[in-house]
Amino acid sequence: MLVLGVDPGLTRCGLGVVDGTPGRATLIEAGVIRTPSTMETSQRLLAIEQGLEQWLDRYSVEVVAIERVFAQHNLMTVIGTAQVAGIAMLVAARRGLKAVQHTPSEVKAAITGSGRADKNQVGHMVSRILHLESAPKPADAADAVALAICHCWRGTALNSWAQVAQASKVRP
Amino acid sequence: MLVLGVDPGLTRCGLGVVDGTPGRATLIEAGVIRTPSTMETSQRLLAIEQGLEQWLDRYSVEVVAIERVFAQHNLMTVIGTAQVAGIAMLVAARRGLKAVQHTPSEVKAAITGSGRADKNQVGHMVSRILHLESAPKPADAADAVALAICHCWRGTALNSWAQVAQASKVRP
């Protein structure tokens, strides 16, 4: 399953494409879309939309996995972060792709086994899972890759479960 | 100046088109885009984008005036509200239109003369300014109309000031 992970942010929006099945994952590409803080917000959002479209033109992903933003996040950046997450969801929906949100703890738990792992532990495990010498840089790109891995590992199980439930006509 | 006001919200996104110059305003259309809470967020954002596009196809507005969302707003709804505001900015930017944000106090001050006016006072003044028997319904539509009036009255002055400053090569 090819998944685009998105770590939303106005200044740096992390992106990572991963090909994965539960327990296995290959990195296809990782990077960031940057927009300068001197640019008007509407223009930054437009640049991010265009960047996302380019990534989705390059890779036929099935799912866009986006970090879920909470109101309790950093007050200085939460509005911009939520707006970028919304645009990632919109771009996915427009292409008929599934847009799935995962919380930071879900990502940490999927990658390290603990929802309270720190950034270094997550980065270390991401590089081990992907057989890389170090985690993708910058951190936003690594976070996006972790989101995509998390989705491949969790998402598939959830989907199978939902499918099994549907097949046996039991409400999931 | 034709302005589209947007009171962002996932459940009800208020919209109002106003033709105005400082001290004068005519209501062209007011309404809301509704999306059900049972719908996936990505699909709700897509429906709102499509609704905004339809309004902008119908009216050749110069500016989209959007309520500025703060992290301190209602914690239960702030993320969705920020996402809808972001999509309104994006849609404006894609068409080369100016996307301008106004705070609730700026709107109240422009309409009633006081940044602390309550909803009833704003609604009352909106209906007086537009020569209507009552304010547009629902409240989200009235708020969007108030935003558009605010922009016509404030925006024009600000633009003139910026233009004067630019003409005289003084940094505004």
Side-chain angles (χ1 to χ4, degrees), chain A residues 42-158:
Chain A
S42 60
Q43 295 300 322
R44 300 177 86 179
L45 296 173
L46 181 59
I48 290 166
E49 181 194 43
Q50 289 167 344
L52 284 165
E53 291 283 5
Q54 286 166 9
W55 278 65
L56 291 174
D57 283 344
R58 279 210 297 284
Y59 302 108
S60 297
V61 307
E62 278 178 52
V63 175
V64 180
I66 305 156
E67 184 173 303
R68 186 181 291 280
V69 186
F70 291 101
Q72 292 78 5
H73 278 183
N74 184 343
L75 284 186
M76 291 292 287
T77 57
V78 68
I79 300 297
T81 306
Q83 287 171 342
V84 174
I87 285 171
M89 280 191 266
L90 174 73
V91 167
R94 227 159 37 201
R95 290 180 178 241
L97 301 175
K98 267 175 64 177
V100 182
Q101 297 181 79
H102 295 292
T103 66
S105 343
E106 283 169 358
V107 175
K108 290 172 183 174
I111 303 285
T112 70
S114 159
R116 296 176 169 206
D118 65 22
K119 277 205 172 281
N120 285 340
Q121 289 172 290
V122 175
H124 176 70
M125 279 306 296
V126 164
S127 56
R128 279 192 57 182
I129 291 165
L130 299 171
H131 306 292
L132 304 172
E133 292 201 356
S134 60
K137 298 240 161 17
D140 312 84
D143 287 346
V145 169
L147 265 154
I149 298 174
C150 163
H151 184 77
C152 292
W153 294 12
R154 282 176 58 96
T156 314
L158 287 173

Side-chain angles (χ1 to χ4, degrees), chain A residues 40, chain B residues 63-68 89 98-102 147 151:
Chain A
E40 262 187 38
Chain B
V63 176
V64 180
I66 304 156
E67 184 172 303
R68 187 180 291 281
M89 282 192 263
K98 269 176 61 178
V100 183
Q101 298 182 80
H102 295 292
L147 266 154
H151 184 77

Side-chain angles (χ1 to χ4, degrees), chain B residues 34-102:
Chain B
R34 294 171 196 269
T35 69
S37 59
T38 48
M39 203 185 251
E40 263 187 36
T41 306
S42 60
Q43 295 300 323
R44 300 178 85 178
L45 297 173
L46 181 60
I48 291 166
E49 182 194 42
Q50 290 168 343
L52 285 164
E53 291 285 4
Q54 286 167 8
W55 278 66
L56 292 173
D57 283 344
R58 278 210 295 286
Y59 302 108
S60 298
V61 307
E62 277 179 51
V63 176
V64 180
I66 304 156
E67 184 172 303
R68 187 180 291 281
V69 186
F70 291 102
Q72 292 77 3
H73 278 183
N74 184 345
L75 285 184
M76 290 293 287
T77 58
V78 69
I79 299 298
T81 306
Q83 288 170 341
V84 173
I87 285 173
M89 282 192 263
L90 174 74
V91 167
R94 226 159 39 201
R95 290 181 178 241
L97 301 175
K98 269 176 61 178
V100 183
Q101 298 182 80
H102 295 292

